[in-house]
Amino acid sequence: MSTQRHELQTGGPRYELRCRECHTPWGNQPISFCQKCFAPLEVVYDLAAIKKEISRDEIARRGTTLWRYKELLPLPEQYDGSLPVGFTPLVKAANLGDAFPSPASSGTSLRSKSLYLKNDASCFPTLSFKDRVVAVALTQARHFGFEIVSCSSTGNLANAVAAQAARGGFKACVFIPADLEPAKILGTEVYGAQIVRIAGNYDHVNRLCSQIADKHRWGFVNVNLRPYYAEGSKTVGYEIAEQLGWRLPDNVVVPMAGGSLITKVHKSFKEFVKLGLVDEHDSHIHGAQAEGCAPIVNALKAGTEIIKPVNKPQTIVKSLAIGNPADGFYSIQTMKQTEGWAENPNDNEVIAGIRLLAETEGIFAETAGGVTVAAAQRLVEGGRIKPSESLVLCITGHGLKTQEAVNGKCGEPRVIGPHLREFAALLEKEN
């Protein structure tokens, strides 16, 4: 890997695209890969200049949205965000902590006061963390003059693009696998977006979108706008640190699809340390995928950074069913650098995780949330997360989007006539 470095040009934006491998700068334009070495691009910032202008107090004075971190996002000059997206609750999860298994090596229960849920199931406007990334991507779509915005999606991203395109006056056309959950398809149709359903898995969809992006002047948020889009994920990490009282957690568990979110949580922690907003701390960042599509977890457990694609995902967790993850290599690097780990619970564990979270904390998460909870249980039970350590679970979407996963698995309500004697008989039977 090259160690070459470049300074940002003075007089322009305090960010630019730069190759992750050869570090060649590419300014700001709608491209996602280096045209010299074909490695992916990412956004870098002039942190030295930003450090002189940003502080905890300054951030705290701003509105409770992701725009409070505007200096650390790739926004056009003078941009003033109005969409109230981000700054979702960080919820203490005492009941869930008490329900977690004891570590096999200690016999000690998890300290419930140290467990938190970063609940993006409440994110505006479409109840998933994808609202964050789309909000940032569409600022650049406007800046670059795109009139049509698009994406390849396993559901949540399509919802977010459709909703924010409607609000922002863009035309939207989204591409999805044909077998997505009905609620996610409806959650895109209602905003008036054109939907193209592809007879194939997500990787087929994404490949087609890359080809379309080469032919048409459309702003694909996760293709030609991907470096900017991915930066929106950092706000999850910024908020966790701020909501913990400007401290970094000991552990975070992050669901992985393409792998971008886990790398950006890591990036956010490093940036806050460099800016002096938090003290340096060893935060272990762990990943989670479903057993039926776990290419990143499989590679990590095999001791390799080479991702073997999953050609035919077999899991109810469609939102994470990306067989060839774009950021898989960097996800593994993130977990290795932070001494984290990853787990891949099966579908039965996922369903149990959804129910456990709902029954203990009153939060209904989609299947990706069930993956996160179930993976965290494995990490605690296996001793990789210690009882004395703080732990944040990233809940990335609402369960109303994936009701099919638990339909018929939560018991059946009793039916009685409108008579007190029947209710009394029901109580006697239940007791």
Side-chain angles (χ1 to χ4, degrees):
M1 181 183 300
S2 170
T3 58
Q4 183 181 7
R5 292 291 185 270
H6 298 265
E7 297 298 324
L8 290 180
Q9 296 181 357
T10 59
R14 291 182 177 174
Y15 62 88
E16 68 179 8
L17 299 181
R18 193 172 293 173
C19 178
R20 283 184 172 184
E21 297 299 328
C22 73
H23 305 291
T24 298
W26 290 99
N28 284 294
Q29 53 182 314
I31 60 173
S32 62
F33 63 90
C34 178
Q35 297 178 27
K36 289 178 62 178
C37 72
F38 303 106
L41 303 181
E42 69 171 343
V43 182
V44 297
Y45 301 83
D46 186 348
L47 294 179
I50 293 171
K51 187 174 183 178
K52 298 175 183 176
E53 300 178 358
I54 198 170
S55 67
R56 295 179 182 178
D57 289 342
E58 174 59 29
I59 292 172
R61 282 193 289 267
R62 298 173 179 174
T64 50
T65 67
L66 62 77
W67 310 117
R68 69 200 278 117
Y69 311 110
K70 60 184 179 180
E71 291 88 351
L72 296 169
L73 295 172
L75 305 177
E77 292 186 56
Q78 309 304 316
Y79 181 80
D80 185 19
S82 61
L83 187 72
V85 61
F87 217 78
T88 55
L90 184 71
V91 182
K92 286 188 175 182
N95 296 330
L96 181 62
D98 289 342
F100 266 20
S102 300
S105 60
S106 70
T108 306
S109 62
L110 184 69
R111 288 185 183 175
S112 56
K113 67 178 182 180
S114 65
L115 178 60
Y116 300 83
L117 307 169
K118 183 56 176 166
N119 186 22
D120 269 18
S122 63
C123 206
F124 180 87
T126 67
L127 307 180
S128 91
F129 93 99
K130 293 296 188 181
D131 290 319
R132 298 173 181 273
V133 295
V134 171
V136 176
L138 293 195
T139 67
Q140 290 292 348
R142 179 82 66 198
H143 179 66
F144 292 134
F146 292 115
E147 296 180 357
I148 300 174
V149 293
S150 187
C151 67
S152 54
S153 175
T154 56
N156 285 328
L157 183 58
N159 294 173
V161 167
Q164 294 189 42
R167 181 183 175 96
F170 294 96
K171 295 179 181 178
C173 179
V174 301
F175 297 80
I176 60 174
D179 64 347
L180 278 194
E181 299 93 341
K184 288 186 176 177
I185 296 174
L186 178 61
T188 300
E189 288 175 331
V190 71
Y191 299 111
Q194 182 178 357
I195 301 174
V196 180
R197 298 171 69 177
I198 306 300
N201 61 36
Y202 173 82
D203 296 301
H204 297 131
V205 177
N206 193 51
R207 190 178 305 118
L208 174 62
C209 287
S210 297
Q211 295 168 344
I212 294 171
D214 286 338
K215 298 286 186 181
H216 298 272
R217 184 168 169 74
W218 292 11
F220 279 83
V221 299
N222 56 343
V223 182
N224 52 3
L225 295 173
R226 184 177 177 83
Y228 304 104
Y229 147 101
E231 289 294 285
S233 296
K234 293 192 308 182
T235 58
V236 173
Y238 296 152
E239 291 172 19
I240 288 171
E242 182 178 353
Q243 290 168 324
L244 284 175
W246 300 102
R247 294 181 295 109
L248 299 182
D250 297 322
N251 299 276
V252 184
V253 180
V254 183
M256 300 182 296
S260 177
L261 178 57
I262 192 171
T263 68
K264 296 306 179 183
V265 168
H266 187 208
K267 184 177 181 181
S268 72
F269 290 174
K270 291 190 295 183
E271 287 180 341
F272 261 23
V273 169
K274 290 178 181 178
L275 292 168
L277 296 173
V278 298
D279 293 333
E280 191 165 2
H281 182 71
D282 290 331
S283 292
H284 308 295
I285 303 179
H286 311 275
Q289 291 186 301
E291 182 180 72
C293 187
I296 302 173
V297 180
N298 292 341
L300 180 70
K301 289 186 173 182
T304 178
E305 293 180 342
I306 299 174
I307 305 294
K308 182 179 179 181
V310 175
N311 294 323
K312 293 183 178 180
Q314 299 290 331
T315 176
I316 61 172
V317 191
K318 298 183 186 298
S319 62
L320 302 185
I322 295 180
N324 190 14
D327 289 300
F329 169 76
Y330 298 103
S331 298
I332 291 173
Q333 285 194 324
T334 290
M335 289 182 282
K336 285 186 173 181
Q337 290 170 11
T338 65
E339 298 183 346
W341 192 243
E343 287 294 347
N344 52 337
N346 61 42
D347 284 355
N348 288 333
E349 291 175 281
V350 171
I351 293 168
I354 295 171
R355 292 190 59 186
L356 181 63
L357 179 60
E359 292 170 4
T360 58
E361 299 297 341
I363 293 174
F364 185 16
E366 69 166 6
T367 49
V371 172
T372 302
V373 172
Q377 288 181 291
R378 284 191 179 188
L379 291 164
V380 170
E381 189 170 21
R384 291 188 178 273
I385 296 175
K386 304 297 188 296
S388 59
E389 296 174 341
S390 59
L391 168 60
V392 177
L393 307 186
C394 292
I395 307 300
T396 53
H398 202 288
L400 291 175
K401 295 167 176 265
T402 59
Q403 297 180 55
E404 298 86 354
V406 292
N407 188 28
K409 297 179 174 64
C410 301
E412 293 293 333
R414 306 290 191 271
V415 179
I416 63 172
H419 307 292
L420 185 58
R421 65 178 181 275
E422 293 193 33
F423 176 65
L426 176 64
L427 284 182
E428 184 176 353
K429 183 178 180 180
E430 291 293 325
N431 293 332

